[in-house]
Amino acid sequence: MSAVSNSRPTAPQSTTGERARPPSVDSLAQSLAGTGLPHGLLVDAAREAIAAGDPGSAAERAAAMERSLLRPVINATGVLLHTNLGRAPLGTAAAGGTGGPATPLRYSNLEFDTQRGVRGDRHAHAGGLLAKLCGAEAALVVNNCAAAVTLALGALAAGRGVAVSRGELVEIGGGFRVPEIVAQSGARLVEVGTTNRTRRQDYAVATEAGDVALCLRVHQSNYRIVGFTEAPAVGELADLGVPLVVDIGSGLVDEACQWLAGGPPAWLRGEPAARQTLAAGADLVTFSGDKLLGGPQAGIIAGSAELVQRCARHPLARAFRAGGLVLGTLQSLALTYLHRCGDDIPFWHMATRPVGELRARAEALGVGEVCDMAATTGGGTLPGVEIPSAGISLEGDMAAALRDGDVPVVARVAGQRTYLDLRTVDPADDAILATVARSACGT
Ligand SMILES: *Cc1c(COP(=O)(O)O)cnc(C)c1O
């Protein structure tokens, strides 16, 4: 705020000493043309300023309007998939630029078969590549994982029962609650087992007893049940005579991480992956595009071609379908995975930087105190798992001053110190981060 109010231009003043008449809305708006905002928005700012009896505040109001628009921020929280900051980072790929808005910025063959000159299928491009990536027969892309689960249940189980363990009736955050999603899809929730222990037999009893259309497993993405616990392996539920749908949520496509030169990082251990879950016997998996997949907001349904087709034909598929920008971005992301160039995927690039490299960057910033830190994946994945990291800390609570930078810097505050973790910061932003940090400290 302070940077803006300093540059506040003075309102047109009378030079004769009498009280100036307020400027017209239009001339005040014209005087702000340099901001680059469309005239209609400047008129709003001018009108509000005049109505408040403070025409001189118009520039500040216009600047506030501009600040409230979607714009880049520097994520120095060390939370790789920060839900408030758009989850997976996009558009800052290290080499190939694969994470940015991809091909279909003009016209595209989104739903056109250029070979035969007939209507094509929007699920053929990214969907086909994502299927290959997870070893599935087919895949379908919708708006997010919540939509993917709702669609799968609506298409495969409306009016019938869905067996879910009482230990997996979870809330993921942002309003995704399994019992409500089941109800919304038109299916009936059939609870099996207990909070801490559920066995194959519990599912078997449910599927034999009633009209159960499918079994749904839900990954405990953002919490863990520890102690006296039991849950069947996916493979144990593969032969119950009904489809098995596993909502893995996080979007890790393959435990082997062939796209990473160094193989799977230690902190990933135990996270379920699409390929292995399908290989173990799941008929469908659902996952997010913007968690460990590292892509745009999307939801993917992958698995048996017959079941994916049933989902695709359901009316909700039309309501939930992804647009060309998302499908294009996912297509180039899938190609990057298939090229095994994980380093070109911003999420994986950031997640796998050696801590020594981060420490060297922290030292080069020349501000604050260099310190070791613990980053997290966040976004409702891998609770409690820490990734060794490094950054700088500043004396006192600097959060507000850092957010006020030309590019807002989002940091963490603990015990009267402010921590800036470099794991989630693009090295190209280091210079501006240092400038913002220095000015926040008044040095
Ligand atoms: C994150 C998550 C969801 C919700 O995904 P969105 O893409 O945010 O809709 C659903 N299920 C699980 C298991 C998740 O981890």
Side-chain angles (χ1 to χ4, degrees), residues 87 144-147 149 172 176 218-219 221 247-250 288-291 297-299 379-380:
R87 283 203 187 148
N144 49 41
C145 189
V149 177
I172 298 296
F176 181 92
V218 184
H219 179 43
S221 298
D247 178 21
I248 60 170
S250 71
S288 291
D290 53 357
K291 293 184 182 170
Q297 182 193 301

Tab-separated table of all heavy atoms in Angstrom, residues 87 144-147 149 172 176 218-219 221 247-250 288-291 297-299 379-380, ligand 1:
chain	number	residue	atom	x	y	z
A	87	ARG	N	-2.047	-24.166	-6.598
A	87	ARG	CA	-1.496	-25.531	-6.587
A	87	ARG	C	-0.262	-25.659	-7.483
A	87	ARG	O	0.673	-24.901	-7.307
A	87	ARG	CB	-2.572	-26.554	-6.966
A	87	ARG	CG	-3.533	-26.844	-5.830
A	87	ARG	CD	-4.192	-28.204	-6.020
A	87	ARG	NE	-5.232	-28.442	-5.031
A	87	ARG	CZ	-6.326	-29.151	-5.256
A	87	ARG	NH1	-6.525	-29.726	-6.425
A	87	ARG	NH2	-7.211	-29.326	-4.300
A	144	ASN	N	-12.006	-31.143	-12.556
A	144	ASN	CA	-11.193	-31.385	-11.360
A	144	ASN	C	-11.510	-32.783	-10.847
A	144	ASN	O	-12.382	-33.460	-11.404
A	144	ASN	CB	-11.432	-30.319	-10.271
A	144	ASN	CG	-12.909	-30.110	-10.012
A	144	ASN	OD1	-13.668	-31.072	-9.964
A	144	ASN	ND2	-13.325	-28.873	-9.858
A	145	CYS	N	-10.820	-33.197	-9.806
A	145	CYS	CA	-11.000	-34.566	-9.333
A	145	CYS	C	-12.374	-34.751	-8.685
A	145	CYS	O	-12.969	-35.818	-8.759
A	145	CYS	CB	-9.876	-34.939	-8.370
A	145	CYS	SG	-9.863	-36.671	-7.924
A	146	ALA	N	-12.886	-33.690	-8.063
A	146	ALA	CA	-14.224	-33.773	-7.483
A	146	ALA	C	-15.242	-34.107	-8.574
A	146	ALA	O	-16.135	-34.952	-8.385
A	146	ALA	CB	-14.589	-32.455	-6.795
A	147	ALA	N	-15.090	-33.473	-9.740
A	147	ALA	CA	-15.979	-33.754	-10.866
A	147	ALA	C	-15.752	-35.177	-11.380
A	147	ALA	O	-16.705	-35.871	-11.748
A	147	ALA	CB	-15.746	-32.748	-11.990
A	149	VAL	N	-14.847	-37.845	-9.672
A	149	VAL	CA	-15.484	-38.820	-8.780
A	149	VAL	C	-17.002	-38.745	-8.935
A	149	VAL	O	-17.686	-39.769	-9.035
A	149	VAL	CB	-15.071	-38.569	-7.307
A	149	VAL	CG1	-15.785	-39.542	-6.377
A	149	VAL	CG2	-13.559	-38.704	-7.147
A	172	ILE	N	-11.696	-33.631	1.851
A	172	ILE	CA	-10.398	-33.271	1.280
A	172	ILE	C	-10.114	-31.785	1.469
A	172	ILE	O	-8.991	-31.347	1.459
A	172	ILE	CB	-10.350	-33.644	-0.227
A	172	ILE	CG1	-10.524	-35.148	-0.417
A	172	ILE	CG2	-9.058	-33.187	-0.883
A	172	ILE	CD1	-9.431	-36.004	0.166
A	176	PHE	N	-14.994	-30.891	-0.593
A	176	PHE	CA	-15.087	-32.254	-1.132
A	176	PHE	C	-15.246	-33.233	0.023
A	176	PHE	O	-14.289	-33.525	0.736
A	176	PHE	CB	-13.850	-32.605	-1.958
A	176	PHE	CG	-13.882	-33.988	-2.557
A	176	PHE	CD1	-14.382	-34.199	-3.831
A	176	PHE	CD2	-13.417	-35.097	-1.842
A	176	PHE	CE1	-14.418	-35.476	-4.388
A	176	PHE	CE2	-13.449	-36.369	-2.393
A	176	PHE	CZ	-13.948	-36.559	-3.665
A	218	VAL	N	-10.950	-44.446	-1.316
A	218	VAL	CA	-10.550	-43.042	-1.360
A	218	VAL	C	-9.228	-42.900	-0.617
A	218	VAL	O	-9.111	-43.305	0.537
A	218	VAL	CB	-11.610	-42.121	-0.710
A	218	VAL	CG1	-11.216	-40.657	-0.864
A	218	VAL	CG2	-12.987	-42.375	-1.309
A	219	HIS	N	-8.245	-42.328	-1.289
A	219	HIS	CA	-6.940	-42.147	-0.657
A	219	HIS	C	-7.052	-41.142	0.491
A	219	HIS	O	-7.654	-40.078	0.343
A	219	HIS	CB	-5.942	-41.642	-1.693
A	219	HIS	CG	-4.566	-41.389	-1.138
A	219	HIS	ND1	-3.958	-42.253	-0.258
A	219	HIS	CD2	-3.693	-40.386	-1.357
A	219	HIS	CE1	-2.762	-41.780	0.051
A	219	HIS	NE2	-2.584	-40.640	-0.605
A	221	SER	N	-5.736	-38.615	1.577
A	221	SER	CA	-4.736	-37.681	1.054
A	221	SER	C	-4.095	-36.817	2.118
A	221	SER	O	-2.888	-36.651	2.154
A	221	SER	CB	-5.395	-36.761	0.026
A	221	SER	OG	-5.879	-37.514	-1.045
A	247	ASP	N	-10.123	-43.531	-5.884
A	247	ASP	CA	-9.822	-42.106	-5.975
A	247	ASP	C	-8.463	-41.881	-5.322
A	247	ASP	O	-8.367	-41.786	-4.100
A	247	ASP	CB	-10.919	-41.301	-5.271
A	247	ASP	CG	-10.630	-39.808	-5.284
A	247	ASP	OD1	-9.846	-39.370	-6.148
A	247	ASP	OD2	-11.192	-39.098	-4.430
A	248	ILE	N	-7.393	-41.837	-6.162
A	248	ILE	CA	-6.056	-41.665	-5.580
A	248	ILE	C	-5.746	-40.179	-5.348
A	248	ILE	O	-4.821	-39.842	-4.645
A	248	ILE	CB	-4.938	-42.322	-6.431
A	248	ILE	CG1	-4.870	-41.728	-7.842
A	248	ILE	CG2	-5.124	-43.830	-6.500
A	248	ILE	CD1	-3.643	-42.159	-8.633
A	249	GLY	N	-6.512	-39.320	-5.965
A	249	GLY	CA	-6.429	-37.885	-5.661
A	249	GLY	C	-5.172	-37.191	-6.148
A	249	GLY	O	-5.226	-36.265	-6.964
A	250	SER	N	-4.012	-37.647	-5.660
A	250	SER	CA	-2.797	-36.842	-5.817
A	250	SER	C	-2.261	-36.787	-7.239
A	250	SER	O	-1.564	-35.851	-7.597
A	250	SER	CB	-1.713	-37.384	-4.903
A	250	SER	OG	-1.267	-38.623	-5.410
A	288	SER	N	-6.337	-35.685	-9.555
A	288	SER	CA	-6.294	-34.266	-9.900
A	288	SER	C	-5.201	-34.002	-10.930
A	288	SER	O	-4.166	-34.669	-10.933
A	288	SER	CB	-5.970	-33.415	-8.669
A	288	SER	OG	-7.025	-33.431	-7.755
A	289	GLY	N	-5.403	-32.967	-11.742
A	289	GLY	CA	-4.360	-32.557	-12.681
A	289	GLY	C	-3.318	-31.671	-12.037
A	289	GLY	O	-2.174	-31.594	-12.492
A	290	ASP	N	-3.690	-30.983	-10.935
A	290	ASP	CA	-2.805	-29.945	-10.408
A	290	ASP	C	-2.190	-30.290	-9.057
A	290	ASP	O	-1.783	-29.410	-8.311
A	290	ASP	CB	-3.541	-28.593	-10.333
A	290	ASP	CG	-4.858	-28.665	-9.575
A	290	ASP	OD1	-5.251	-29.776	-9.137
A	290	ASP	OD2	-5.501	-27.618	-9.414
A	291	LYS	N	-2.125	-31.583	-8.755
A	291	LYS	CA	-1.355	-31.983	-7.567
A	291	LYS	C	-0.038	-32.588	-8.066
A	291	LYS	O	0.697	-31.910	-8.765
A	291	LYS	CB	-2.177	-32.957	-6.720
A	291	LYS	CG	-3.413	-32.289	-6.086
A	291	LYS	CD	-4.150	-33.259	-5.191
A	291	LYS	CE	-5.401	-32.612	-4.604
A	291	LYS	NZ	-6.223	-33.645	-3.929
A	297	GLN	N	-5.481	-27.206	-13.358
A	297	GLN	CA	-6.632	-27.778	-12.653
A	297	GLN	C	-7.406	-28.670	-13.620
A	297	GLN	O	-7.835	-28.236	-14.687
A	297	GLN	CB	-7.559	-26.684	-12.153
A	297	GLN	CG	-8.742	-27.266	-11.382
A	297	GLN	CD	-9.837	-26.251	-11.153
A	297	GLN	OE1	-9.608	-25.219	-10.539
A	297	GLN	NE2	-11.026	-26.538	-11.652
A	298	ALA	N	-7.556	-29.920	-13.252
A	298	ALA	CA	-8.277	-30.883	-14.083
A	298	ALA	C	-8.528	-32.114	-13.229
A	298	ALA	O	-7.956	-32.261	-12.149
A	298	ALA	CB	-7.455	-31.270	-15.315
A	299	GLY	N	-9.422	-32.969	-13.701
A	299	GLY	CA	-9.642	-34.258	-13.048
A	299	GLY	C	-9.545	-35.334	-14.113
A	299	GLY	O	-10.012	-35.141	-15.236
A	379	GLY	N	-1.169	-29.063	-0.766
A	379	GLY	CA	-2.290	-29.356	-1.644
A	379	GLY	C	-3.057	-30.606	-1.247
A	379	GLY	O	-3.664	-31.264	-2.082
A	380	GLY	N	-3.032	-30.941	0.038
A	380	GLY	CA	-3.737	-32.143	0.471
A	380	GLY	C	-3.045	-33.416	0.026
A	380	GLY	O	-3.696	-34.420	-0.269
B	1	LIG	C1	-7.533	-33.555	-3.823
B	1	LIG	C2	-8.435	-34.707	-3.832
B	1	LIG	C3	-9.710	-34.608	-4.386
B	1	LIG	C4	-10.232	-33.327	-4.955
B	1	LIG	O1	-9.515	-32.988	-6.097
B	1	LIG	P1	-9.804	-31.613	-6.877
B	1	LIG	O2	-9.027	-31.758	-8.138
B	1	LIG	O3	-9.332	-30.524	-5.986
B	1	LIG	O4	-11.275	-31.548	-7.116
B	1	LIG	C5	-10.513	-35.721	-4.386
B	1	LIG	N1	-10.088	-36.884	-3.838
B	1	LIG	C6	-8.864	-37.009	-3.293
B	1	LIG	C7	-8.468	-38.338	-2.704
B	1	LIG	C8	-7.995	-35.929	-3.286
B	1	LIG	O5	-6.765	-36.066	-2.740
